[in-house]
Amino acid sequence: MAALKYAGLEDTDSEEELPPGWEERTTKDGWVYYANHLEEKTQWEHPKSGKRKRVAGDLPYGWEQETDENGQVYFVDHINKRTTYLDPRLAFTVEDNPVKPTTRQKYDGNSTAMEILQGRDLSGKVVIITGANSGIGFETAKSLALHGACVILACRSLARGEDAVQRILGEWHKAKVEAMTLDLASLQSVQHFAEEFKSKNLPLHILICNAAVFGVPWSLTEDGLESTFQVNHLGHFYLVQLLEDVLRQSSPARVVVVSSESHRFTEINDSSGKLDFSLLSPSKKEYWAMLAYNRSKLCNILFSNELNRRLSAHGVTSNAVHPGNMIYSSIHRSWWVYTLLFTLARPFTKSMTECRGVPSSDPGHYKQGEKMTGTNASCCTG
Ligand SMILES: NC(=O)c1ccc[n+]([C@@H]2O[C@H](COP(=O)([O-])OP(=O)(O)OC[C@H]3O[C@@H](n4cnc5c(N)ncnc54)[C@H](OP(=O)(O)O)[C@@H]3O)[C@@H](O)[C@H]2O)c1
């Protein structure tokens, strides 16, 4: 076929040939459409091949595109002093992708926090991140703070939280960061945290439920619940309930629940398909650390979805995210076997440097100004 076309001997019965009464035209933007003069109708698809096309390239030298009083495009050939409704580029059409272009994915698993936040000014935004003294939570806190957000690091150890604050201030002395105590293994601590936060009279634009334990031995919290379930899910669930009014008042606001792909490897329903509460906070006899983690992560997703369903109409959205597989954070610390596995996987998985996008020692695009003075010059309430 191509050879015939090249030789100018193309099969006249080709699927590109228009049936009698049809004419090929172009729009101002170069899209090809087909006019059926018998039925007086137009369509985008070629009447035989069903393909959509557009013309490629610029008009030939000396040609100009005009529009007549009916809005129809015509072409002026200034060299030969003639006009025509036939686009001279129609001989050079290219097929349009019949699949409707979807919104191009801007980011993927290799995108760094800095790439995603590039050019964003988050001044005036207030963010709470649980478990922000290490790992993914710390990198998230730092990236948001370096873009102007006021970030509260909600940590179970205030000392570790303060240390994280200092590390962020070491990168940018004007960062608005503050550590507060939040132990998700204690519902009372969650309540105290919420009260203390509310007493600051700050808005809350982003709440990131990030903290988690993984593979820990069975233990009960002071509330009598299995600790993985309470820390990873229930504590966050309670925190969101307590802060829901502030989130609503601060809309548009968002909740981000850091879950995991591993939520897929478990069930929380009984054989009749109903939620089995005994699976959520199992006894020591029925406890398997890995399964408890997976279940807590499934709870994260179910919670986030339901939260989004209930609050999005009020300007508060919720999304659950999987941050990546086996990122070398501190998550593996509960058992040396996990540490070994994470170490072996380390060369093949996303690193903390890749998460953040710039090495900690490099303040990158941020100005290094005068040294910070005072002890709490960058706290959110300051
Ligand atoms: N790393 C991965 O490959 C991976 C994969 C999928 C999902 N995730 C998810 O990513 C999130 C962050 O994990 P990570 O990898 O960054 O782990 P990480 O470095 O161990 O961070 C976990 C954070 O949670 C805090 N935390 C633990 N128990 C707490 C409690 N009772 N109350 C308040 N905070 C508590 C820890 O504080 P302390 O330092 O005081 O213990 C720590 O700051 C988790 O939700 C995890 O499930 C991680």
Side-chain angles (χ1 to χ4, degrees), residues 130-137 154-157 160 182-185 209-213 231-232 258-261 293 297 300 322-333 342 352:
T130 68
N133 58 285
S134 72
I136 294 161
C155 307
R156 68 170 148 178
S157 154
R160 286 195 287 274
L182 169 71
D183 183 357
L184 292 156
C209 300
N210 161 80
V213 286
V231 172
N232 295 10
V258 184
S259 180
S260 170
E261 189 68 37
Y293 176 78
K297 293 287 132 184
N300 283 163
H322 166 62
N325 287 317
M326 297 184 84
I327 301 168
Y328 199 86
S329 59
S330 313
I331 197 103
H332 51 79
R333 66 188 125 157
F342 271 73
M352 280 301 158

